[in-house]
Amino acid sequence: MGECRMQKMLAFLSLMLVTLPPIYGWGTDGHSIICKIAQTRLTEEAADAVKQLLPKWAEDDLGSVCSWADEVKFRYRWSSPLHFINTPETCSYQYKRDCKDEDGEAGRCVAGAINNYTSNFSPTILPQIKLNPLHVGFASDKGGNTIVVHWYKTKQVLHHVWDTNIIETAEERFYNSNVDDMVDAIQQNITNEWADQVKRWETCSLNKTACPDIYASEGIKAACDWAYKGVKEESVLEDDYFVSRLPIIYWRLAQGGVRLAATLNRIFG
């Protein structure tokens, strides 16, 4: 597979993964969890296409490539605005108002990137998709990146708490730091507790390949309702915050996996 095709595939995957509640996207484990869930839900055609596009070093593991865009955004600095959406301090999202970069160029946000990758997709090129609550956050604090808090005894920014800390704490406490066990637990919820929601997560109106405006609207709502709520500079976030927010993390990771699979199935179906 050519390097250009592989990079475009990895880019698409990374963007699709941001579709969840955190402000700028998940950390490494969050991305991996979403892709592992998605890979189990691919149709035969989609699974074969993804297998053909994955680099050999991935050993057919979609989860191993899903943090690519986060890793290369420092090399390809033009891509940085494609990882997030900044809104004014309002708990709503509007594409025309919010999807632009710091220079005001329209379409330069994660929703615009998803639209672009999926609309210009051909069977030989795979895009990327991702969304976490603080990847759709307030411009004033850069999606929680300037809000300094304490995660138990460790100083962090709020964005990192949602990207990484909540997930890693859950892995350590409940899954012996085994990410695959956490994936299994989320998949059981998809099959059982959330089974009646799955069809809605998978569906896009007007025969669209992906629905980033829906994902972004959900993201800013989750950011307001859960990430920002009750938090101020130097807040100490401990068990009350962790226990109440963890179900939202599970739910958004599940949505991301289901939606990524549905998007790839539509592309390769």
Side-chain angles (χ1 to χ4, degrees):
M1 177 185 68
E3 182 179 359
C4 180
R5 289 171 60 199
M6 180 183 76
Q7 289 180 348
K8 288 181 178 180
M9 178 194 78
L10 298 179
F12 171 73
L13 292 174
S14 297
L15 290 176
M16 194 63 193
L17 303 178
V18 174
T19 346
L20 317 186
I23 304 169
Y24 284 105
W26 306 103
T28 300
D29 282 0
H31 287 299
S32 178
I33 288 167
I34 291 169
C35 281
K36 286 177 179 292
I37 292 170
Q39 192 162 17
T40 67
R41 303 181 64 86
L42 296 177
T43 63
E44 184 176 345
E45 294 81 3
D48 183 63
V50 169
K51 182 177 181 179
Q52 295 302 315
L53 288 169
L54 284 172
K56 289 184 178 179
W57 55 260
E59 297 181 342
D60 299 333
D61 177 13
L62 187 59
S64 67
V65 304
C66 286
S67 294
W68 179 83
D70 280 348
E71 295 164 5
V72 302
K73 67 183 178 184
F74 303 104
R75 176 181 175 189
Y76 303 121
R77 294 189 178 276
W78 60 266
S79 71
S80 188
L82 306 185
H83 291 246
F84 60 89
I85 296 167
N86 282 335
T87 74
E89 290 198 22
T90 177
C91 297
S92 66
Y93 158 79
Q94 298 175 22
Y95 184 87
K96 289 185 178 180
R97 181 192 67 194
D98 303 328
C99 191
K100 56 189 177 184
D101 62 18
E102 292 183 352
D103 296 324
E105 184 176 347
R108 294 268 294 156
C109 78
V110 64
I114 292 171
N115 283 331
N116 182 52
Y117 274 111
T118 53
S119 64
N120 291 299
F121 181 82
S122 75
T124 59
I125 298 174
L126 177 61
Q128 75 156 312
I129 307 176
K130 73 175 181 182
L131 265 177
N132 137 1
L134 286 183
H135 271 239
V136 188
F138 297 153
S140 59
D141 55 52
K142 298 184 178 180
N145 273 296
T146 66
I147 300 176
V148 177
V149 298
H150 295 267
W151 182 247
Y152 294 88
K153 295 181 179 180
T154 304
K155 181 173 283 192
Q156 297 287 3
V157 295
L158 183 61
H159 185 95
H160 192 268
V161 169
W162 280 82
D163 265 8
T164 302
N165 292 126
I166 297 176
I167 291 174
E168 288 187 348
T169 300
E171 288 173 349
E172 292 168 5
R173 287 193 183 183
F174 308 132
Y175 306 105
N176 294 317
S177 296
N178 187 322
V179 68
D180 288 333
D181 288 347
M182 188 170 182
V183 170
D184 289 343
I186 295 172
Q187 287 181 316
Q188 288 180 24
N189 280 340
I190 293 171
T191 302
N192 299 307
E193 184 177 350
W194 301 322
D196 60 339
Q197 302 179 46
V198 169
K199 189 66 176 178
R200 186 171 70 252
W201 297 347
E202 292 176 324
T203 303
C204 276
S205 60
L206 304 176
N207 294 317
K208 291 183 178 180
T209 305
C211 312
D213 289 337
I214 292 175
Y215 313 153
S217 294
E218 292 175 353
I220 190 60
K221 186 177 187 305
C224 288
D225 290 350
W226 298 103
Y228 287 123
K229 189 173 183 179
V231 176
K232 58 185 179 181
E233 190 77 11
E234 298 294 342
S235 286
V236 178
L237 307 180
E238 298 183 302
D239 282 351
D240 286 349
Y241 192 90
F242 169 66
V243 171
S244 61
R245 272 59 174 184
L246 182 58
I248 305 304
I249 293 281
Y250 286 155
W251 187 54
R252 292 298 275 171
L253 291 171
Q255 286 180 318
V258 169
R259 285 167 167 167
L260 177 57
T263 300
L264 294 174
N265 289 339
R266 282 191 284 270
I267 288 170
F268 294 114

